[in-house]
Amino acid sequence: MPGVDQDGKPIETSATVERPLTLFLNSQEIVTLMTIGDYVDCLAVGYLINQNMLRVGDVVTGVDFDEEIDTVVVRTLVDTNFEE
């Protein structure tokens, strides 16, 4: 990737690129995260656990990632509602 260094000289370097990833829990949109795209299933489930939206005993029945629309859906046995 072409760039300019601190002295204004042209340089060629690599750069990490982030892109948005929209996370759904069942049918509800939760958040759009920025990610480099690695391990999106782990990122999604980890985020939901961290936010106490998934708890001990919750059964995750699937994690579906659609790369074309940058969306991941985490599905559970029990319906969820975090609208409030």
Side-chain angles (χ1 to χ4, degrees), residues 63-79:
V63 180
D64 302 310
F65 173 54
D66 188 327
E67 192 171 355
E68 283 187 24
I69 58 173
D70 295 317
T71 300
V72 63
V73 180
V74 177
R75 301 182 194 287
T76 61
L77 273 182
V78 179
D79 287 336

Side-chain angles (χ1 to χ4, degrees), residues 43-69:
L43 174 66
V45 171
Y47 179 88
L48 294 170
I49 290 170
N50 183 268
Q51 298 302 309
N52 292 317
M53 294 176 155
L54 285 179
R55 297 184 181 94
V56 174
D58 287 343
V59 177
V60 174
T61 59
V63 180
D64 302 310
F65 173 54
D66 188 327
E67 192 171 355
E68 283 187 24
I69 58 173

